[in-house]
Amino acid sequence: MTVPLGTMRATGDFVTVKDGEMFFLGRKDSQIKRHGKRLNVELVQQVAEELQQVESCAVTWYNQEKLILFIVSREDLVKDYIFKELQEHLPSYAIPDELVLIDALPFTSHGKIDVSELNKIYLNYMNLKSDCKLNGKEELWGKLQHLWKSVLSLSEDPSMIPKESLFLPSGGDSLKSIRLLSEIENLVGVSVPGLLEIILSSSILEIYSHILQTVFADEDLPLSKSYATKRKFSDINQEEADGKSSHQKCGMPLNCDNAINAFIALNRGSQILSLNTTRFLTKSGHCPSACSSDLTSQINIQNVKSINPPPIIEKSEKPSFVAKVSEEEKPVIGAEKLELRVRWRSDTGKCVDASPLVVVPAIDKSSATVYIGSHSHRMKAVDLYSGKVKWEQILGDRIESSACVSNCGNFIVVGCYNGLIYVLRSNSGEKHWVFTTQDAVKSSATMDPTTGLLYIGSHDQHAYALDIYEKTCVWKLKCGGTVFSSPCLSLIPHHIYFATLGGLLLAINPATGDRVWKHFCGKPLFSSPHCCLQYICIGCVDGNLLCFTHFGEQVWQFSTNGPIFSSPCTSASEQEIFFGSHDCFIYCCNMKGHLQWKFEATSRVYATPFAFQNHNYSDETLLAAASTDGKLWILESKSGQLQSVYELPGEVFSSPVVWESILIIGCRNNYVYCLDLLGGNKK
C-alpha cells in the first residue's frame, strides 16, 4: 500500500524524549481503569519482576474485570508471600486479583507476550480450581480460614482464626466482603443466598454454619444459626434487656403536648426537619442556609399543614451547566474560593463512622447540639459552637447508627451493634426506653412527623415501627434480607421505604406494616433510599443509581464505574441528584438521569453529600462531600467546580452535615470535627 511521504502513524507507545532520543515507557493499551484509578499494568509487572523469587512475569486484564499476574519463579514460593511483598510496593488498586504460577511465558512469532495464550492458561487454571472444590464439609472449615486470611491480607501462619472473629473489625470492608463472597461461592460451586449479610454481621463460625446449612442441607449439621444468635446476644446486660418487651407500657405517661419544642434538625444527605418554627423564623428573619431535602423532598413535608418550613431560596431558572471533567483532571487548589478551618474537635475514644445529628432550638439558636456515637460505645451530645460536651452515655456496643430526634424534641433514638435500639433523653442522655432486636442495628431511624412513630431496620432482617411514648413496637415486618441502610419516608403517597443487602427495595404502609410493592435490584443495597416528590432513588453495588416512581416502576438508571455505597441527596428545587461512587467520582444528575457534571476526588466516596446554601452568598448553592482518604470537598452545586478542600488526619466514612457556615463530620482517628466555612479573599 502506497502512502504519501511523511505520513505519521500512531504506534500506541508511550515514550519520553531526552537529548533527541526516545525512551520507551509502555503501551497505551496497557492503561486500564481499576477501582476508579488509572493503572498501567506494566507497573505491576515491573514491581513483580524486581522480587527476588521472580524470574519473569506478565500481567493481563482478564475480560476487563480481573487483574491476573503470571509468574515464572526461580524457586518454590508461597503466593501469600508474593502478595505481601506487592502490597508493600503497590497501591491497593494495583494489587492483582489472582496469582498464577507457570513454567514459562508464552510468546508470539514476533517475540511478544502471547496474551491470548495467557488467557487460555488462566481459564484452565480456573477450571482446575473448579475441579478442586470441596470433597465434603470436613474441608470447609480449613479452606474458609484460608480465604479469610487471604482476603484480609493476614499472615498465613498455622494458627486458627478465633471462632468469634468478625469480618469488619478484623480489617474487612464492603468491597472485601464482596470478594470473600465470590471466593466462597467459587469454592463451594453454588450460590449461597444471604451469605453477604452473614459475612458483614456475624462471626466466622456463623459464616461456616450458614454455608453448611445451604450447601449440605441434606446432611446432619453440628451447628445452627439459632445457637450463634443466642450466644451473640447472651451478654446483653440485664438493665438494658429489661426494656426488650415489644408491648411494655410506659410507667410514667409522657405529656408530650406540654413538652413540644420548636427546633430544626439536620441529618446527613441534606435532610432537614423544621418543627413549630414558623413564628420564630418569621420574627427573627432567619432562614437556614442548608438546602432542605427532608422538608420539601424526602417526606413531602410541605403538604403537612402543622409543619411549616422556612422559605428556601435557590435560583434554578437557568439550565444546569455540564462540567466536562477529563479523566486526568485533578482538583485545582488555586481555584479555591472558600476556606475550611477547624473550630473544635471532640475525642470519642474510637472510630466515628456514624454521621452527626444537629438540633437547633428555635428559641435559642446558640444552644444548638451535635449528637453522635462511635465505636467506643459512647453516645455524645456536644455544643455546636463551643465543642463543650453536654453529656455522654456509654451504650452496650459499637455505634454506627446515626441519631434521630423525636417529633417533640425531647428524645434521640440510636441503634447499636448489640441489637438494641436506645431512646435517650436529649437534654441528659438518660435512657427512656430500650428496644431489643435479634441482631446488630446499623440502620438509622426515620421519624414520621404526622404520627411521631419511628421506623428502623436491623440485621435480623426486620423493619420495625416504634411508638417511643407508649414504649411499644407497633409492627415489624420480615424484609427478606439484612437491613443495613436507613429507611426513607414519603407522605404522598404515604410510604416508608426499606432496602436490604439481599437486593430488595420495599415500599411499606407506615400505618399497618403491610408491603405495598417490592423490586429486586439484583445486587446488595448498602445505599439508603431517597425520596422526592415524584421519585425514589437508590444506589447499588453494581454501580448503578436506580430511579423508581412511588408505584414501583423503574424510570431510569445511571451507571458509574464502581459500587455505590453513598446515598443520594437532592437540591432544594429537586432538579439535581448528588451522590458518590467507589470509582472516586462525585456525581450530579438531573431528574431524567442525565449527567450534569462529575468531579474526581482522590479516593472512594462512601459518604452521602450534603447540599446547602452559601451563608455569605444566599443565591449560591454548595455541596459538601467526603472521600474515604479523609478529604472534605466543597463544590459549587450547579457546575461541580471546586471551592475548597480540607484533609482530615484519618479515613472518613461519616457523612457531613452543614448548618449555616459550620460543617460537622466524624473521622476514623476517633474525633468528631467541627469546621468553619470561611469566605475566600477576593483578589
Side-chain angles (χ1 to χ4, degrees):
M1 185 170 128
T2 304
V3 295
L5 185 65
T7 296
M8 304 293 288
R9 296 188 181 211
T11 66
D13 296 316
F14 281 118
V15 300
T16 184
V17 179
K18 186 177 181 181
D19 299 329
E21 291 185 303
M22 289 188 292
F23 294 85
F24 177 73
L25 296 177
R27 292 281 304 162
K28 182 179 180 181
D29 51 20
S30 297
Q31 294 274 327
I32 64 171
K33 191 84 176 277
R34 186 167 186 253
H35 299 331
K37 297 287 187 180
R38 286 232 156 259
L39 171 65
N40 190 326
V41 296
E42 292 176 352
L43 169 66
V44 182
Q45 182 173 325
Q46 290 168 10
V47 170
E49 283 176 341
E50 292 175 0
L51 300 180
Q52 184 177 357
Q53 299 89 341
V54 177
E55 181 177 310
S56 59
C57 65
V59 181
T60 64
W61 184 227
Y62 183 75
N63 285 346
Q64 295 189 332
E65 60 181 25
K66 277 191 171 185
L67 193 64
I68 313 302
L69 174 60
F70 298 87
I71 285 182
V72 179
S73 63
R74 289 195 175 95
E75 55 194 73
D76 291 338
L77 54 80
V78 179
K79 286 185 180 182
D80 291 333
Y81 175 79
I82 294 293
F83 273 118
K84 189 175 180 180
E85 288 287 308
L86 292 174
Q87 286 168 349
E88 292 182 4
H89 299 92
L90 289 171
S92 59
Y93 62 85
I95 303 299
D97 295 297
E98 292 266 15
L99 192 158
V100 181
L101 300 177
I102 55 178
D103 295 328
L105 292 175
F107 292 92
T108 66
S109 57
H110 299 288
K112 295 184 177 181
I113 296 289
D114 192 336
V115 176
S116 63
E117 190 62 31
L118 285 176
N119 287 338
K120 290 179 183 176
I121 292 173
Y122 179 67
L123 190 59
N124 291 334
Y125 168 79
M126 290 300 293
N127 291 335
L128 187 61
K129 281 183 71 175
S130 298
D131 294 338
C132 295
K133 297 201 185 302
L134 291 177
N135 293 321
K137 62 186 180 184
E138 297 78 14
E139 296 182 355
L140 176 60
W141 180 245
K143 294 198 174 185
L144 179 60
Q145 295 252 333
H146 171 75
L147 292 178
W148 183 279
K149 293 177 181 178
S150 175
V151 169
L152 295 176
S153 301
L154 303 176
S155 60
E156 192 64 44
D157 56 53
S159 62
M160 299 286 281
I161 301 292
K163 293 180 179 180
E164 65 276 9
S165 296
L166 298 169
F167 186 74
L168 294 176
S170 299
D173 57 31
S174 302
L175 280 179
K176 288 179 181 176
S177 69
I178 294 172
R179 182 183 164 195
L180 180 59
L181 170 67
S182 176
E183 293 282 1
I184 291 172
E185 291 187 337
N186 183 64
L187 173 68
V188 299
V190 295
S191 176
V192 186
L195 181 57
L196 182 62
E197 296 99 311
I198 302 297
I199 291 172
L200 288 167
S201 63
S202 305
S203 68
I204 188 172
L205 180 63
E206 292 167 272
I207 296 170
Y208 170 70
S209 176
H210 183 79
I211 300 169
L212 280 181
Q213 293 180 61
T214 304
V215 181
F216 303 98
D218 56 342
E219 300 182 29
D220 294 331
L221 300 179
L223 298 167
S224 69
K225 192 174 188 302
S226 61
Y227 160 77
T229 302
K230 288 176 184 176
R231 176 195 55 76
K232 184 173 183 179
F233 294 99
S234 62
D235 57 354
I236 296 173
N237 68 63
Q238 188 59 43
E239 177 189 352
E240 295 180 326
D242 286 342
K244 69 183 179 181
S245 171
S246 63
H247 296 286
Q248 177 183 353
K249 296 294 181 182
C250 178
M252 184 178 295
L254 177 68
N255 188 346
C256 201
D257 292 335
N258 296 330
I260 291 178
N261 300 301
F263 64 90
I264 299 169
L266 302 94
N267 290 88
R268 62 177 183 172
S270 310
Q271 297 179 56
I272 304 175
L273 177 63
S274 177
L275 285 168
N276 312 299
T277 57
T278 305
R279 187 180 304 170
F280 164 76
L281 291 168
T282 303
K283 287 183 178 179
S284 66
H286 175 76
C287 176
S289 59
C291 294
S292 170
S293 167
D294 216 341
L295 288 175
T296 60
S297 301
Q298 187 190 5
I299 57 175
N300 307 329
I301 203 87
Q302 74 274 19
N303 295 294
V304 185
K305 294 181 180 179
S306 62
I307 303 168
N308 298 298
I312 301 296
I313 302 170
E314 180 178 68
K315 293 184 178 180
S316 57
E317 296 86 4
K318 297 181 180 179
S320 298
F321 172 72
V322 180
K324 295 181 179 179
V325 184
S326 70
E327 292 181 337
E328 290 78 20
E329 189 173 352
K330 298 294 181 185
V332 181
I333 306 302
E336 293 175 22
K337 300 177 183 177
L338 301 167
E339 178 188 357
L340 283 165
R341 184 179 300 168
V342 175
R343 173 186 283 255
W344 54 260
R345 63 175 191 164
S346 182
D347 189 1
T348 70
K350 282 192 177 179
C351 298
V352 186
D353 285 345
S355 300
L357 162 69
V358 179
V359 177
V360 184
I363 298 175
D364 181 14
K365 187 183 71 170
S366 64
S367 63
T369 305
V370 177
Y371 298 95
I372 195 164
S374 88
H375 288 197
S376 66
H377 308 187
R378 298 183 196 173
M379 188 70 205
K380 300 180 75 166
V382 185
D383 184 273
L384 173 63
Y385 293 97
S386 69
K388 180 180 178 181
V389 177
K390 295 184 175 183
W391 57 257
E392 186 176 281
Q393 175 70 267
I394 305 297
L395 303 186
D397 208 331
R398 288 200 299 175
I399 307 166
E400 285 187 15
S401 168
S402 301
C404 173
V405 67
S406 63
N407 65 344
C408 64
N410 292 319
F411 304 101
I412 62 164
V413 180
V414 65
C416 190
Y417 260 60
N418 61 358
L420 301 185
I421 298 167
Y422 293 85
V423 182
L424 308 176
R425 293 193 176 273
S426 57
N427 62 353
S428 65
E430 178 187 351
K431 293 174 188 174
H432 167 68
W433 182 42
V434 179
F435 177 79
T436 303
T437 76
Q438 294 304 306
D439 210 332
V441 180
K442 301 180 188 180
S443 172
S444 303
T446 294
M447 186 267 292
D448 187 339
T450 63
T451 64
L453 294 182
L454 286 117
Y455 307 97
I456 194 167
S458 168
H459 271 52
D460 68 6
Q461 304 193 9
H462 285 88
Y464 295 88
L466 304 179
D467 185 334
I468 64 172
Y469 304 112
E470 293 294 327
K471 296 186 177 179
T472 356
C473 177
V474 177
W475 56 257
K476 75 174 185 177
L477 177 71
K478 181 102 174 181
C479 293
T482 293
V483 182
F484 172 88
S485 62
S486 304
C488 171
L489 182 70
S490 166
L491 290 183
I492 302 177
H494 200 199
H495 290 168
I496 183 78
Y497 295 98
F498 282 86
T500 77
L501 296 188
L504 282 176
L505 176 63
L506 303 166
I508 299 168
N509 183 322
T512 64
D514 295 328
R515 190 172 64 202
V516 180
W517 57 262
K518 68 177 180 178
H519 181 91
F520 180 59
C521 299
K523 294 288 183 180
L525 299 172
F526 287 87
S527 170
S528 297
H530 180 87
C531 293
C532 58
L533 197 59
Q534 287 183 296
Y535 302 123
I536 173 104
C537 297
I538 191 167
C540 185
V541 299
D542 63 4
N544 289 314
L545 181 74
L546 307 172
C547 178
F548 301 88
T549 69
H550 287 286
F551 303 101
E553 299 171 350
Q554 185 170 337
V555 183
W556 50 261
Q557 71 178 40
F558 177 85
S559 298
T560 72
N561 292 317
I564 299 175
F565 294 89
S566 168
S567 303
C569 76
T570 54
S571 60
S573 64
E574 296 193 354
Q575 298 300 308
E576 297 89 22
I577 306 169
F578 309 103
F579 65 98
S581 170
H582 272 44
D583 65 5
C584 303
F585 279 93
I586 301 159
Y587 289 88
C588 173
C589 293
N590 64 19
M591 281 300 170
K592 293 183 179 179
H594 299 148
L595 178 67
Q596 300 298 92
W597 53 259
K598 66 177 183 177
F599 176 86
E600 185 171 12
T602 50
S603 184
R604 297 174 296 172
V605 182
Y606 182 96
T608 298
F610 194 101
F612 63 102
Q613 283 179 282
N614 188 334
H615 193 57
N616 298 317
Y617 306 97
S618 61
D619 60 343
E620 182 181 41
T621 306
L622 301 175
L623 188 75
S627 47
T628 55
D629 59 357
K631 288 196 177 70
L632 303 178
W633 308 92
I634 306 297
L635 309 176
E636 204 283 315
S637 70
K638 290 292 184 183
S639 65
Q641 293 181 345
L642 179 67
Q643 304 296 300
S644 185
V645 62
Y646 186 91
E647 186 169 4
L648 294 173
E651 289 187 313
V652 171
F653 287 79
S654 173
S655 298
V657 169
V658 180
W659 166 253
E660 294 184 335
S661 58
I662 298 177
L663 184 150
I664 310 95
I665 194 168
C667 183
R668 283 197 165 179
N669 73 335
N670 306 346
Y671 284 85
V672 182
Y673 283 84
C674 178
L675 301 99
D676 286 313
L677 188 59
L678 307 173
N681 297 323
K682 294 186 178 180
K683 296 181 180 179

